Amino acid sequence: MSFVQVRDLWQAYGDRSILERVNVDVAEGEFISIVGASGCGKSTFLRMLLAEERPTRGSIRIDGGEPALEPNRERGVVFQKYSVFPHLTVRDNLIAGQSFGTRWGALFGGAKAAARANADDMLAKIGLNHVADQYPASLSGGMQQRLAIAQALIAKPRVLLLDEPFGALDPGTRVQMHEFLQALRDETGMTVFMVTHDLEEGFKLGDRVLVFDKPRWDPHDPGAYGATITYDFDARDGGIPFQHLNPPTTKDITDAL
Ligand SMILES: Nc1ncnc2c1ncn2[C@@H]1O[C@H](COP(=O)(O)OP(=O)(O)O)[C@@H](O)[C@H]1O
Ligand SMILES: [Mg+2]
């Protein structure tokens, strides 16, 4: 059985179908980029992987079990979006990130000293060591985003969910964060699901690029049908989707979105 297995997944809110018949298999360690039009259900899909929402129909298995409700390292999923605690300093946020999944949700003694050293190491890597004792609200948007990503990554989760993580970053910082994420992923072998609206970023970082789109469309009732995975591109080796006899151009993909 594959590491992440999604079978005939549906999600509807009231009589609005958001997602329908989503099927996908992901091997452990794969980096999955997800693209698709705004509002087509990409964040909803991540929330279901996080067990924050139950599907209307269908199933998700992560390492053979249901998605874990509490983040934990074994079958844990960390979502970059909600991770930063406003009442903790930047350093303490990274220390807290390492206590997820511990028995008491807190670290003591030697473990705490090690967590502090790890936090400082991470802060240096992401260029936030000079603001270690500040609170998140005092940081710029880009710095807050880097902190959120670092906090999610520091727990070395087996599954990492990133929802448009680099959106607010300037191009230089974005490239730095790409390199940082790629190095961490090589080191940990974690499985990543990343939603992005930047196709180039999706192909650069992802092993696969999944396109979410509505295969059925009722012009009189645009909310009648949900989206599903309409393309599953192989993005390894420079993004040539070898399973396609006629490799789609960027324009084809853009048109499909
Ligand atoms: N809890 C909810 N109740 C009702 N509608 C929701 C809820 N969450 C999301 N939606 C709707 O589901 C659709 C998909 O949302 P979302 O997953 O955020 O899309 P995306 O991330 O692809 O932009 C949107 O139309 C949104 O308004
Ligand atoms: Mg979204």
Side-chain angles (χ1 to χ4, degrees):
M1 190 201 278
S2 54
F3 180 58
V4 177
Q5 189 188 65
V6 177
R7 285 291 173 274
D8 206 26
L9 193 73
W10 294 65
Q11 186 63 302
Y13 300 117
D15 62 352
R16 307 279 85 172
S17 274
I18 304 300
L19 293 171
E20 56 179 59
R21 286 172 295 131
V22 176
N23 285 287
V24 66
D25 284 282
V26 174
E28 180 150 32
E30 274 191 307
F31 193 126
I32 306 295
S33 297
I34 296 172
V35 297
S38 174
C40 76
K42 304 177 298 293
S43 298
T44 300
F45 181 65
L46 292 192
R47 285 199 301 275
M48 287 194 284
L49 286 173
L50 189 70
E52 209 179 77
E53 256 181 57
R54 292 194 144 272
T56 308
R57 258 194 271 166
S59 69
I60 296 180
R61 291 279 173 275
I62 299 178
D63 201 18
E66 301 236 336
L69 278 169
E70 291 289 318
N72 71 72
R73 239 167 266 191
E74 284 315 301
R75 219 155 43 69
V77 168
V78 170
F79 200 12
Q80 128 269 349
K81 207 164 172 168
Y82 304 124
S83 54
V84 171
F85 301 112
H87 61 289
L88 296 180
T89 64
V90 167
R91 180 187 288 110
D92 285 345
N93 259 289
L94 293 191
I95 293 173
Q98 298 172 75
S99 66
F100 295 146
T102 59
R103 183 150 178 214
W104 307 105
L107 299 158
F108 299 102
K112 187 154 193 178
R116 189 189 161 101
N118 261 344
D120 285 342
D121 189 41
M122 181 67 94
L123 287 172
K125 275 189 190 150
I126 59 168
L128 294 184
N129 36 351
H130 61 294
V131 294
D133 297 315
Q134 294 184 26
Y135 289 89
S138 71
L139 307 182
S140 71
M143 285 163 113
Q144 289 189 22
Q145 227 173 358
R146 274 187 279 163
L147 176 63
I149 294 161
Q151 199 208 38
L153 290 173
I154 203 165
K156 299 189 175 162
R158 280 179 81 187
V159 182
L160 178 69
L161 306 179
L162 298 169
D163 200 350
E164 305 191 6
F166 308 123
L169 302 180
D170 63 84
T173 310
R174 187 183 268 249
V175 169
Q176 261 179 359
M177 291 305 290
H178 286 171
E179 286 166 3
F180 172 62
L181 176 58
Q182 279 171 321
L184 228 112
R185 183 211 168 197
D186 290 347
E187 186 189 308
T188 61
M190 65 186 168
T191 307
V192 185
F193 291 85
M194 179 187 75
V195 172
T196 176
H197 47 232
D198 181 346
L199 257 186
E200 205 178 317
E201 178 175 89
F203 274 91
K204 175 185 170 189
L205 295 179
D207 295 320
R208 290 157 67 187
V209 178
L210 305 182
V211 179
F212 278 64
D213 193 13
K214 291 187 181 188
R216 300 192 283 168
W217 179 256
D218 179 349
H220 304 293
D221 189 4
Y225 300 114
T228 192
I229 297 171
T230 52
Y231 289 87
D232 182 350
F233 293 111
D234 197 306
R236 297 171 182 91
D237 303 323
I240 305 300
F242 62 79
Q243 77 273 37
H244 292 269
L245 290 174
N246 300 301
T249 62
T250 304
K251 183 176 180 306
D252 290 334
I253 302 167
T254 309
D255 290 346
L257 295 182

